[in-house]
Amino acid sequence: MVKQIFENIELKDLKGILIDLDDTLYPYPPNHHRSMDVCIKKCERDYNITREQFDTCFKSVREKIHIELFGQAASHSRLLYFQRFSEKYFGHTLPAFALEMEELYWSEFLSGMEFYPGAEDFLKRVKMAGIKSCIVTDLTAQIQFRKWQKLDLGRYIDFMVNSEEAGIEKPDACIFELALSKLGLKTGEVAMVGDNEEKDIKGAEAMGIKAYLIQDTGFRS
Ligand SMILES: [Mg+2]
């Protein structure tokens, strides 16, 4: 289904493509769940933390950070989640724990990352058509660069805008404007492709950018 959606994106008359990264070019949930499982097993083995204790503590610190840093790239930072986890569970900041768990999470995540069916063919089609492209993504630069490298996106993609450099997340117009500025294009010359109705689709459409939703539920333009 995702493959069909990518195949149906019309490139005629476009000079640029803006495209989300997470859960648009590759499936996020299986990698996230596998990574969390590896982190939990490590905590069980090395720190005598049960799965239930881990789940309760992690959920609580993540929710608090989401609220405190709403709309900022760092609201998704695994490093901050594990920093707060160490403070809540062990009673003080443990940088070594936070760094170790963050690296464990992302190295496991990256190891299983693969394009969605049809995603790489779509990027090839964009490249072949001479259309410029920019990833527009909500997260910190370092991990998004590592994902770029894992998928070797430099073969197809010209630019990235991440929410760390933009200072704000989608659907805010600033992040889309930064992407347009990097491409040197106007709203009517590009289309946005993404999986999130609120952030990717409504964010782009509010600026007059045509948007394509990548989801199993269907296709619209
Ligand atoms: Mg996404």
Side-chain angles (χ1 to χ4, degrees):
M1 193 64 181
V2 169
K3 186 167 183 280
Q4 281 176 319
I5 299 171
F6 273 118
E7 284 172 356
N8 285 330
I9 295 174
E10 178 62 70
L11 298 180
K12 199 162 74 69
D13 301 330
L14 288 181
K15 289 186 178 170
I17 281 283
L18 311 182
I19 188 161
D20 173 53
L21 176 54
D22 300 304
D23 222 23
T24 293
L25 287 178
Y26 73 93
Y28 174 85
N31 295 299
H32 170 68
H33 292 133
R34 204 183 58 255
S35 294
M36 287 303 290
D37 199 51
V38 166
C39 289
I40 291 167
K41 286 194 171 110
K42 167 112 183 135
C43 282
E44 285 177 322
R45 193 176 60 243
D46 293 0
Y47 298 98
N48 288 321
I49 300 169
T50 67
R51 185 169 284 263
E52 292 69 30
Q53 286 170 325
F54 181 97
D55 285 342
T56 305
C57 188
F58 190 84
K59 189 163 176 276
S60 138
V61 297
R62 186 182 56 194
E63 279 174 6
K64 197 151 187 294
I65 287 173
H66 276 177
I67 293 165
E68 289 174 11
L69 299 179
F70 179 76
Q72 296 175 45
S75 68
H76 316 287
S77 165
R78 271 58 173 179
L79 189 61
L80 295 187
Y81 296 167
F82 286 116
Q83 177 195 341
R84 291 287 182 87
F85 186 106
S86 77
E87 290 160 358
K88 190 173 173 70
Y89 191 85
F90 300 105
H92 53 111
T93 306
L94 284 175
F97 173 84
L99 287 164
E100 178 186 38
M101 296 301 289
E102 185 211 23
E103 181 52 34
L104 186 63
Y105 178 92
W106 284 123
S107 58
E108 180 63 33
F109 191 103
L110 292 164
S111 74
M113 262 181 78
E114 285 179 8
F115 281 111
Y116 259 130
E120 189 170 15
D121 285 342
F122 171 71
L123 295 181
K124 283 181 187 164
R125 194 154 62 88
V126 169
K127 183 83 177 172
M128 290 287 286
I131 293 169
K132 291 197 279 185
S133 56
C134 183
I135 296 278
V136 183
T137 179
D138 281 350
L139 226 167
T140 44
Q142 191 188 45
I143 185 56
Q144 299 310 70
F145 287 175
R146 288 177 72 183
K147 291 174 188 169
W148 171 302
Q149 287 185 309
K150 167 68 187 184
L151 296 176
D152 201 5
L153 292 178
R155 290 172 294 163
Y156 314 115
I157 303 281
D158 299 298
F159 295 99
M160 175 192 284
V161 169
N162 57 73
S163 58
E164 184 176 24
E165 65 169 326
I168 195 137
E169 304 217 287
K170 297 175 284 185
D172 194 284
C174 288
I175 195 162
F176 293 101
E177 280 163 4
L178 184 52
L180 290 171
S181 154
K182 289 190 185 192
L183 292 173
L185 296 173
K186 300 186 187 72
T187 52
E189 297 174 321
V190 304
M192 172 71 193
V193 180
D195 70 290
N196 189 300
E197 183 99 41
E198 288 300 317
K199 286 169 170 274
D200 299 317
I201 308 305
K202 289 187 181 166
E205 286 177 347
M207 298 183 63
I209 296 171
K210 189 172 179 176
Y212 292 91
L213 183 65
I214 298 294
Q215 276 185 349
D216 285 345
T217 46
F219 163 81
R220 74 189 185 111
S221 66

